[in-house]
Amino acid sequence: MANTLKWEGQQLATWYFTVAIVLFGAQLLMGLIAAVQFLYPSFLFEIFDFSVARMIHINALILWMVFAMVGAAYWLLPDETGIEVVGIKWAKLGFIVLTAAVTVVVVVYIVVQIGPANDMTIWFINEGREYIEAPRWADFGIAIVLVGFLLHVFLTAIKGERTGIVTVLMADMIALVGLYLCGMGFTDSISMDQFWWWWVIHLWVEATWEVLVGVFAAYGLIRIIGAQRQIVEMWLWIEVAMLFGSGILGMGHHYFWIGTPEYWWEIGALFSALEPLPLVAMFIHVTYDWGKQQGIAKAEGRDTAIANTPALAWFFANAFGNFLGAGVWGFFHTMPQVNIYTHGTQFTSAHGHLAFFGAYATILIGVFYIAVQGTNNIKRLKATFDFKMGIILLNLGVFGMTVALTISGYSQVLVERAQMGATWEAFFISQDTLWFVQGLGWRLAMGVVTLVGFIYLVKDLLSTGKNKIHER
Ligand code: HEM
Ligand code: HEM
Ligand SMILES: [Fe+2]
C-alpha cells in the first residue's frame, strides 16, 4: 500500500488496525466452529472442544477491539494535537511487545488448550475469566503496554493542542486502563472474583468504551462531513455525563444473583434502566449533524458534504446499532423481575452479539475507512460494490443471528424457567425444544452470512488504494 502518511503515529495506527482485522477474522471462524458444535456436539470433539472455540471467539473479540481502539487513538492524536505522538519509538516497541504476547497466548490456547486446576495453568495457559482470559504473565505484559500507551496519550496531549476531544480521551484512558488492573487480582471466592471481574467487563463496555465511541464519533464527524467542532464537542460532554451517570451504578444489573447484597436489585434496576438514554442522545447527535451538514452543502450548491461515504455509513450503523443492541436488547432484560427468567439464556447471547457489534465493531470499521482514506491520500472516498456488500451482509448477518438467538432464548425462558422452574432436568428439556434448535440453525446460517460480509469488507479495504472510483 502506498504510504503517504505524514505522522508516524498514524502509521503505527495502521499496524494496530491490521492486527485487529486479522483477530476479527479469527473471531468469526471460532464462532462458526462453536455454532456448528451447538448443533452437532461431536464436531471436533476432544480435538477442538466447544469450550476452547468459545473462549478464543470471545477473547479475540475483546482483543481486536482493544487493538482497534488503541490504533484509533494513535490515529486521531496527531490530527487533534497537531504534533507527532511523543515517544513514538517506544510506542512502536509497545505494539511489537503486545502483538508478540498476543500471538503466544493464542498459540497456547490453540495447541495446549487446557491445564490442571493449579497455579501453573493460571500463569501460563489461561486465567479463566470470561472475555479476559490471558494467562498471568501476559496480563502483566498487557498492563505494562497499556500504561505505556496512557503515557503517550498524556505526553502528546500536554505538549500539543488540547482540544475537547483530546481532553475527554485523556480522562477516559485513565479509567479504561485503570479498570483493566481491577481484573488482575485473584481470590478463591467465585463471588468476589465475579464482583471485580464485572468492573472490567461492565465498566468497559457500558462506560469507558462508550465514551471512546463518543470521542471517535466526534472526531469522525468533523473529518467526514466537516461538522462544527463546537457543536460536536458540546454533544460529547453531554454524552459523557449521561454515560457515566447511568453506566457506573448500572453495573448493579450484574449483581442480582451472584451473592452481593440485595440493595443491588434497586440500584441496578434504576440506573441500568437509564442507560439507553445516552444511546438515544448519541443517535440523535449523529443524525442531526449529518442532516445539518448535508443541508448546508446543498444550499451552497455542493453536491454533498460527505468526504467518506463508507465511514459515514458505518458511523450511522453505529448510532443505530448501539441504540438497538445495547439500549433496546439490553433494556429488555435489565430489570431483576425479567432477568430472573432470562439470566444466562441465549437471550443474553443475543444481546451480547448485537451490542458488541452495533456499538463497537461498526464504529471501529468506520475508523478503518478513515484510515484507508488517509493512507491513500483520497479526497473523497466513495461507496464501492464491495463496501455495499460488506456493510449489508455484516449487518444482516449479525442482526439475523440476534433474532435467531432471541427466539432460542424465548424457548429457554418459557420452558426451562417459567414452566419447569430452572431445574437441571428443565435445562436439558429446553435444549431439545423445536424453537431452540431451529434458532441455533438460523444462527449458524446467519453466521455464514456474517463471514461473507467480512470477506467483502477486507477485500474493499485492501483494494481502496488501487480503486479508480475514488476522487484523489
Ligand atoms: C455496548 C454496550 C453493551 C455491550 C457490549 C454489552 C454486552 C453484554 C454481554 C456480552 C453480556 C453477557 C455477559 C456474560 O457473558 O455474562 C451482557 C449482559 C447483560 N447486559 Fe449488556 N451490553 C451492553 C450494554 C447494555 C445496556 C445498555 C444494558 C441495559 C440497559 C445491558 C444489560 C445487560 C444485562 C442485564 C446483562 C446480564 C444478562 C444476564 O443476566 O444473563 N447491557 N451485556
Ligand atoms: C460468524 C459469526 C458468529 C458466530 C457463528 C458466532 C457464534 C457464537 C457462539 C456459538 C457463541 C457461544 C454462545 C454460548 O456459549 O451460548 C458466541 C458467543 C459470543 N459471541 Fe459470537 N458469533 C459470531 C460473531 C460474533 C460477532 C460479530 C460478535 C461481536 C462483535 C460476537 C460476540 C459474541 C459474544 C459477546 C459472545 C458471548 C455471549 C454470551 O456469553 O452471552 N460474535 N458466538
Ligand atoms: Fe452491564
Side-chain angles (χ1 to χ4, degrees):
M1 207 186 289
N3 195 339
T4 53
L5 289 175
K6 178 169 142 211
W7 306 109
E8 280 189 72
Q10 296 197 332
Q11 213 177 338
L12 173 61
T14 63
W15 300 357
Y16 270 104
F17 295 153
T18 310
V19 177
I21 291 178
V22 172
L23 287 168
F24 187 6
Q27 183 212 346
L28 296 184
L29 289 178
M30 293 294 150
L32 283 171
I33 293 177
V36 171
Q37 286 166 331
F38 252 108
L39 291 164
Y40 308 99
S42 59
F43 181 63
L44 296 181
F45 183 58
E46 290 193 333
I47 300 166
F48 203 80
D49 286 341
F50 172 79
S51 57
V52 179
R54 182 185 193 281
M55 171 185 71
I56 304 181
H57 177 59
I58 58 179
N59 280 268
L61 160 75
I62 300 297
L63 271 175
W64 87 252
M65 292 191 168
V66 169
F67 265 74
M69 285 170 187
V70 171
Y74 278 132
W75 182 274
L76 70 78
L77 264 181
D79 274 347
E80 288 287 305
T81 57
I83 60 167
E84 182 61 87
V85 171
V86 172
I88 182 71
K89 294 278 172 301
W90 287 100
K92 287 184 171 176
L93 182 68
F95 165 83
I96 293 166
V97 172
L98 191 60
T99 307
V102 166
T103 311
V104 175
V105 169
V106 173
V107 169
V108 171
Y109 283 170
I110 292 175
V111 179
V112 186
Q113 301 184 358
I114 50 172
N118 61 22
D119 277 355
M120 191 280 285
T121 304
I122 294 177
W123 274 96
F124 297 105
I125 304 177
N126 169 332
E127 229 174 25
R129 283 192 190 102
E130 216 193 343
Y131 300 99
I132 38 170
E133 270 150 302
R136 177 102 344 148
W137 72 266
D139 239 5
F140 284 109
I142 292 169
I144 292 167
V145 175
L146 283 180
V147 171
F149 162 68
L150 190 66
L151 284 178
H152 293 296
V153 172
F154 268 71
L155 293 176
T156 313
I158 289 166
K159 191 169 157 209
E161 196 188 339
R162 221 157 32 253
T163 60
I165 292 178
V166 171
T167 310
V168 173
L169 179 73
M170 289 163 78
D172 194 47
M173 281 303 150
I174 299 183
L176 196 150
V177 173
L179 284 168
Y180 186 81
L181 308 181
C182 292
M184 288 177 63
F186 185 78
T187 97
D188 283 334
S189 154
I190 189 96
S191 286
M192 299 263 279
D193 202 81
Q194 292 274 297
F195 181 89
W196 290 105
W197 171 80
W198 278 116
W199 280 49
V200 191
I201 302 303
H202 172 100
L203 292 180
W204 264 9
V205 302
E206 285 161 71
T208 49
W209 283 24
E210 285 284 7
V211 170
L212 264 189
V213 168
V215 166
F216 298 153
Y219 166 81
L221 289 174
I222 295 175
R223 302 251 97 181
I224 306 169
I225 53 177
Q228 246 178 311
R229 182 176 289 277
Q230 276 158 319
I231 295 180
V232 166
E233 290 189 342
M234 178 200 69
W235 272 106
L236 182 58
W237 287 112
I238 296 173
E239 287 161 6
V240 170
M242 290 170 80
L243 283 165
F244 280 147
S246 59
I248 293 176
L249 285 174
M251 184 158 63
H253 64 191
H254 302 292
Y255 289 168
F256 296 154
W257 329 114
I258 65 167
T260 41
E262 284 174 12
Y263 51 73
W264 282 109
W265 288 351
E266 285 81 19
I267 298 175
L270 175 64
F271 288 93
S272 70
L274 294 172
E275 282 185 50
L277 288 181
L279 306 179
V280 175
M282 290 165 105
F283 178 74
I284 298 173
H285 167 192
V286 171
T287 317
Y288 164 83
D289 267 348
W290 176 11
K292 178 169 175 245
Q293 294 309 128
Q294 199 65 347
I296 293 174
K298 288 268 156 60
E300 288 173 351
R302 282 182 285 138
D303 106 63
T304 175
I306 307 168
N308 187 334
T309 310
L312 184 68
W314 277 107
F315 273 52
F316 192 68
N318 172 259
F320 192 61
N322 201 353
F323 170 65
L324 205 62
V328 176
W329 252 260
F331 187 78
F332 277 163
H333 62 165
T334 207
M335 292 293 171
Q337 294 89 332
V338 176
N339 193 265
I340 196 169
Y341 294 104
T342 57
H343 181 61
T345 60
Q346 290 301 323
F347 187 85
T348 305
S349 188
H351 158 64
H353 279 84
L354 196 59
F356 262 109
F357 180 80
Y360 302 118
T362 47
I363 197 146
L364 294 170
I365 295 172
V367 175
F368 295 163
Y369 271 104
I370 294 181
V372 286
Q373 179 181 26
T375 312
N376 295 295
N377 214 356
I378 292 168
K379 209 152 62 224
R380 228 172 94 191
L381 195 74
K382 296 192 179 167
T384 61
F385 174 76
D386 288 347
F387 150 73
K388 289 180 199 159
M389 291 301 282
I391 193 168
I392 290 170
L393 294 181
L394 273 165
N395 281 290
L396 180 74
V398 176
F399 191 65
M401 286 198 291
T402 305
V403 172
L405 290 172
T406 302
I407 293 171
S408 289
Y410 180 78
S411 197
Q412 262 181 303
V413 168
L414 204 68
V415 177
E416 179 194 331
R417 303 285 162 88
Q419 287 181 344
M420 299 189 66
T423 59
W424 185 237
E425 188 195 7
F427 172 77
F428 286 100
I429 289 177
S430 80
Q431 300 283 306
D432 283 334
T433 55
L434 187 65
W435 282 22
F436 185 84
V437 178
Q438 281 191 354
L440 295 183
W442 278 103
R443 185 264 298 276
L444 179 58
M446 286 299 164
V448 174
V449 172
T450 308
L451 181 70
V452 175
F454 173 77
I455 294 169
Y456 273 109
L457 168 73
V458 175
K459 183 161 166 259
D460 192 47
L461 289 171
L462 290 179
S463 60
T464 305
K466 287 164 261 146
N467 206 321
K468 295 275 180 291
I469 91 165
H470 305 301
E471 268 173 40
R472 271 154 230 274

